[in-house]
Amino acid sequence: MEFFGKIVAAGLMNGAVYGLVAIGFVLIYKSSSVLNFSQGYMLLLGGYIFWSFRGGLRLDLFLSLLLTLPCAFLMGILIERITLRPLIGQPLLSMITVTIFLSLVLEGVASLFWGTYPLEQITIFPKGALKLGKTVLTTESLFAFGLAIVVMMVLIFFFRYTRLGLSMRGVAEGHEIMQSMGISVKRILTICWGIAGVAATLGGILLGGTLGFQLGLSHIGLLAIPAAFIGGLESPEGAVLGGLLIGLIESIVSGYVGKAAGVPASYIVLIVVMLFRPYGFFGLERIERV
Amino acid sequence: MSELDTYPKYLIRNAKLWRDRVALRRKDFGIWQSYTWEDCYQQVKRLCLGLVSLGLKAGDKVSLIGDDEPEGFWAEAAIQSAGGILVALWSDSIPSEIAYIINHSDSKFVIAEDQEQVDKLLEIKNDIPKVEKIIYWDPKGMRKYEDPILMSYEDLKKIGSLHADKHPELFEELIARGKGSEVAQMSYTSGTTGLPKGAMITHDAIITSAKRMHEFAPLDQGEDVITTLASASVFHQWFAGYSYLCGVVINFPEEPETLMQDYREISPRFMLITPRQWQSLSSMTQIRINDAGFLKRFFYNLFLPVGYKVVDLRSAKKKVHPIWKVLYHIGDIFVFRPLRDKLGLVKTRYPVTGSAFLSPDFFRFFQAMGINLIQIYGSTEAGVVSMHPQDDIDNDSVGKVCPGVEIKISDGQEILIKGSSVFSGYYKNPEKTSQVITDGWFHTGDSGYINEKNHLFYLDRIENLDELSNGHKYAPAYIEGKLKFSRFIRDVMVVGGKNRDYLSVIINIDFESIGKWAEANQIPYTTFVDLSQKKEVGDLLRRDLQRVNNTLPERSKVRKFVLLHKEFDADEGELTRTRKLRRAFLQDRYQELIEAIYGNKREMPVVTEVKYRDGRKGVVETNLKIRSVYEEREAMN
Amino acid sequence: MAHTSFYPPSGIYSDSYRKDMRIVKTKTQWVLSIVSLIFLFAIPQIPFFNSPYLLRLLIGVGITIIICLGLNVLTGYCGQLNIGQSAFVMVGGFTSGLLNIHLGWPFWMCVIPAGITSAVIGAIFGIPSVRLKGLYLALTTLGAQIILTWIALFYIPLTAAGFSVGPITIGTLVFNTPKKFYYVAMFFTVMMTFFAKNMMRTGPGRAFVAIRDNDIAAEAMGIDIFRYKLLAFMICTFYAGVAGSLLVHYMMWAHLESFTLQDSIWYVVMVIVGGLGSIEGTIFGVIFITALKELIFVIGPMVEGKLPFLPIGAGSGLLLVIIGGVAILFLIFEPRGLAHRWNLVKAYYRLWPFGY
Amino acid sequence: MLKLNNVEVKYVGVILVLRGVSLEVRDGAIVALLGSNGAGKTTTLKAISGLLHTELGEVTAGSIEYDGSRIDGMDPEQIAKRGIIQVMEGRQVLGHLNVEENLLLGGYIVKNSDIKKDLDMVYDYFPKLKSLRHSTSGYLSGGEQQMLVMGRAMMAHPKIMLLDEPSLGLAPLIVDEIFDIVTRFNAEEKTSVLIVEQNARAALSITEYSYVMENGRVVLDGPSSKLADNEDIKEFYLGLSKLGEKKSYRQVKHYKRRKRWL
């Protein structure tokens, strides 16, 4: 039981991070129907950028964050500008394919500048422990959890109640309609990618803090995809819950079956969900069966 | 079986000789569907016996109206097999014309293609009391038609099959009864004046003309040709000879509109199209070469002069130096053969033109590309008169007089013809018959001469030769022919005559070409009327007129022109069905406009009633601009 | 004459649908096809061409062509994405290898079961996603890559560590050198290419295209989209299985390392660069990317050596950046791939001396 | 004033869809653009609003001028900001958003607008929308959706409204209501309207000037009252034969030759 409690707690901690990354995935899917397979690699690169400021240049934590986040936003924007923008008007297949190729390039960039070996471990949050009954939680993961939840809340509020958020939801419904109303779809798509970049990078920083900065992070980043799908591809709230669920599953399966089983298990869940509830738990019922 | 003196007799022979070989093909859904001689035999037999059981007797007339399709082809044979006389009508004839011809020919049955033709016939049903049945072959849209006078092909063939079961030998007997000296077809030529006249043509006359063509342009069994002419055209019957006499495969295009694409696939051995179509092939070639990339243009410009050089040496009967021959072969590989492929003429042995004037420049151009264009001269009444054999081409003549043709030039320079190809007279019109046939000589009404090599040269219709008030003689068709080679001019009529001291022209613009030109040059337009009166279009045609004028004698030069707000229309009696001008009618109809031209007016308001296809009428109002060919002279006036 | 297409050449016409569907229509095409086939099979006998390096490369190209042909049937003709193709190559390879070592079946008996196993496992992964409109197959194939690798790693004896497999034999002939194996590889490549080319002339082939172009219209025409999408995916994985079988018998060694997610993405790159929906394109794509890879393998270490500030492993990063970059550039600037260039060349020849 | 001079549009650089279209919409006018399917009407509207770019189409020749400056080649957002708002065919609501959210997005481009006042204006024209303000727009009826998209365009205070097939698939009563509102909106807000219609009868009744398109070109234009008498218009767009009776599908002829314009 003690073991189970620990696993659940760890799962929720990680799950929050997956949820955060999944929001970025959902945002891109919602606004342009693109399944962004490079989300995990954006996480990797974002984490590495942070590492360079914090671990490489040894800057102050907040200064590093302050520098990393604009970089992350810029990374998202650049990706959109360079690869997605020229493909406007092309079939969806091309757009999705380009994110697949993008993952090659991003991984390549990461290994080109940071090498293929794991980087020096750095901690972000003060070390400590909190006892909850018999379960011990590290402050580190608590901080991560808290931060992830706060950021998610901010994003969800943003979609609901701001003009920009409303237009992002509008863009999800149809580009031409938005353009006919004089709203620049391109600008909004760019912002979406920027936010996705930031979300992924925050995830990278948080995961890197606990797992270390290494190429394998991209694989963990791929967990955002089942998280987003299970939550419902179009719902930020769903992404959060999907993330927590995937976190739990991963954690439990890793604990009881074997460490390597976490990611495959998440994908098995994804396939099962696809079979029985193709629009996830919070998605809009738009995914049609043939 | 006796002597082969009718097409049906050939059909019987071919069905035995080439039973399972392909006789004709029809393009349908993109595939050339084949019919064997046996198929044709069965089709004709059932149609024939169907007609017979409906009451068709030897000597009865049957009208046929529709586009050129295998069903029509079989119907012709079926009618003639039963001893009937075929009356083929132009598919675009208007109801009143159809009624006149059906009545005049005493047609007992009418075979029609489709709903459109049936509608026209039903409209005049009460005016054609002698017609007992209207039989159609395309059932599309005919489901709701209940008039008892109508019958479908399928039904007719069913009756025919029953009749064949009862009288198994009848079909062969009927055919055997037919004689070559009997009338096979009545061809109504509207002529350029007066009512249509029914020229009676015997089997012998048709077969004679067909044999003359084979003599100069022989083909073998199984070779491909494609139909290019409407079934009402007399040429169509001669052409059928290739099929019956030699077993050449006739291919029917998918639609009249797809002819140009379909013939490229077939690449027919014998290809007769109008001078206008040859001209458009030539201009297409030049336009596309101009739009091609540098390398392609370079090769073309390099080898075309070689082609011209060789052609000129050959037509001057000079020896072609081996170097030129080698160069020409290289050119053939790199330019000429690919071009012939694009034009669909790779297999074509006889590229033929006829029925109107084609400038020698085009002959030279095509010959340089290895396409030895030949001419054929003939008419409904006279049959095939002359044609170029491949080894004796003279670009200025209309061919070498065919063996067996008795020909002489009268004192008035009129071409007279005698021989078995000549028709046997106009139906129910002995007066007119005796006018054109005297002592067995048929008066063609064409002026021309024959040279020492037995080549025939054609000038113009005698009736068209005219002179100006200053006594200058001119041939309108000649000037019109030259003008028509502008791709912007669809039709043109030269106006002049003894009361005028200069020539003017009334032009029908080519809507499609000028429309494209206008688009390319950013000139907005809405309708035909609007486009025809645009200043830019006027300037464009002025340049064409000036160019043609440069090739004309001073006093034959055209001084003024009008771009008409409508096209001359056969439906309104302005043209014959073969698209020849009916001058007298036009002179009369446009009298006011002609007065305005010579009255030095700059424009003239017109109100024209336009008839729509379904009989409704609309009104077009516009101001016709009268323009001078030479702007500066206008200023001087 | 305005919209005439100038192919086939004048004078060649079809009087039946069979004739209209011919692959080889003209004499020139017959001659070219036969000459290139002869050349292909003569390569091991031609000096300079028959270096073991080049032959190995060509064998790799041949096997990859088979893998990518399957992928192109799915992506090019059916509009679905598969980013787990190498997992299915693995299924075929392991199936074939295990049959060989456990039951002693020779290659020729293993190759079809290998393809079928791949196709069946493909179907298991395909069923949930091909029911849905959209490109969700990409998600499940990604899942397949992860899940199948994990299963091979933990749950099947031998596969995690790799095992050796017997060579291909016919009678006493053993195809254990590149020079010998080359013939087997090319035989399969040509066969599978021919099947792929022919497939488009069959009912399912036309159904695939209909689904890609407009699935709603295809459905209205009575095409069972689910069935055909699944069929396309099974064909795709069948091709992968056959290629996998060839691969392990060629290397005589079956190991997980040959079947990574990255390999799967390479295959997508090759198909896209070659041109979706084009058999010729697939061949060009595989050759082009393979050549590019070889080039970078030469250049990469040199760059790494020249720029000492780069970290260890930068060479492999360079490979990814360049190939990923090339693929993206193709998507943006030549989305129809090398096949389009090929078609332009053909059109130039066919239109000669016209420009259009 | 909106003016099209000889506009030519190509898709994907090859397919010519508009071949020299010229037309004019004077300030405050209602103008109709008629024609059958595929004549190029929608393309003309999209050329004006700039939405063509999203479909790989472009104006390859000619010019589109609005108030004396050229707008062809501008992005759709810029054009919309100048006051040209297109209401697209097919009632394109933002289906998962509610009515009010749809309207709010419509007013997105108006700087410093009094959103409440604007909403009230729209609800005044379409009282029904007010009661539906919190409903998900995807579940509205066809007529309500048509009202919503028009209301959404009104939120932008357009100077010219481009209306694409507003009557398509709607009941005659609703069509009348919508056309009434168009006329009222035009009169009260001084907004010019360019309306594309296949329902020529309705369009000719409320417009003062009309253009007829065919094969990417204007083939006929004139005052609407005069066009309504034209034989061709009657035949092909009003569906009347010479006796003034409606043509039923069964009477459609399988003629090979096409209608002609003279």
Side-chain angles (χ1 to χ4, degrees), chain C residues 81-102:
Chain C
L81 263 176
N82 170 2
I83 43 178
Q85 180 77 335
S86 76
F88 297 103
V89 180
M90 172 182 82
V91 170
F94 282 167
T95 306
S96 190
L98 291 173
L99 285 174
N100 181 266
I101 58 165
H102 287 313

Side-chain angles (χ1 to χ4, degrees), chain A residues 16 19-20 23 145 147-157 239-240:
Chain A
L20 183 58
I23 285 187
F145 182 75
L147 183 65
I149 295 293
V150 168
V151 172
M152 286 189 292
M153 290 314 215
V154 169
L155 284 178
I156 289 170
F157 177 86
V240 175

Side-chain angles (χ1 to χ4, degrees), chain D residues 20 44 49 55 59 76 92 110 112 120-121 145-146 169 171-172 178 196 198 201 214-215 233 237 248 251-252 256 259:
Chain D
T44 308
S49 66
E55 303 180 352
V59 176
Q92 310 262 2
V110 185
N112 312 319
D120 284 343
M121 170 196 72
Q145 290 188 340
Q146 184 59 42
I178 283 173
V196 155
Q198 287 199 61
R201 192 195 313 273
E214 182 130 312
N215 286 329
I233 298 288
Y237 299 111
S248 70
Q251 284 167 297
V252 172
K256 287 184 178 169
K259 63 191 169 191

Side-chain angles (χ1 to χ4, degrees), chain A residues 169 173 176-177 179 181-182, chain D residues 46 54-55 95-96 109 152:
Chain A
R169 286 166 60 207
E173 304 278 330
E176 221 186 12
I177 313 177
Q179 282 179 317
M181 294 187 292
Chain D
K46 287 192 169 167
T54 56
E55 303 180 352
H96 288 107
I109 48 166
R152 197 172 63 194

Side-chain angles (χ1 to χ4, degrees), chain B residues 38-53:
Chain B
E38 173 66 15
D39 295 336
C40 292
Y41 171 82
Q42 291 298 342
Q43 291 278 354
V44 173
K45 180 174 179 176
R46 286 191 285 163
L47 289 175
C48 169
L49 294 182
L51 288 170
V52 167
S53 64

Side-chain angles (χ1 to χ4, degrees), chain B residues 25 29 31-32 34 224 264-267 284-285 288-289 291-292 295-296 299 334 338-339 341-342 344 346-347, chain C residues 1-17 20 347-348 350-356:
Chain B
R25 283 191 206 96
F29 301 110
I31 299 292
W32 293 93
S34 311
D224 286 313
R264 189 180 169 269
E265 286 186 26
I266 295 293
S267 192
M284 181 201 81
T285 307
R288 292 210 177 180
I289 291 284
D291 290 347
L295 192 65
K296 293 175 173 179
F299 270 88
F334 284 103
L339 271 177
D341 174 78
K342 302 301 165 288
V346 269
K347 291 188 187 166
Chain C
M1 215 53 192
H3 297 290
T4 321
S5 100
F6 287 119
Y7 181 79
S10 171
I12 291 179
Y13 55 87
S14 315
D15 48 13
S16 65
Y17 281 102
D20 203 39
Y348 189 85
R350 282 177 183 167
L351 287 171
W352 180 280
F354 289 164
Y356 54 87

Side-chain angles (χ1 to χ4, degrees), chain A residues 37-52:
Chain A
F37 285 97
S38 66
Q39 192 76 11
Y41 297 87
M42 282 163 74
L43 175 148
L44 174 72
L45 200 61
Y48 275 21
I49 292 172
F50 173 76
W51 184 90
S52 287

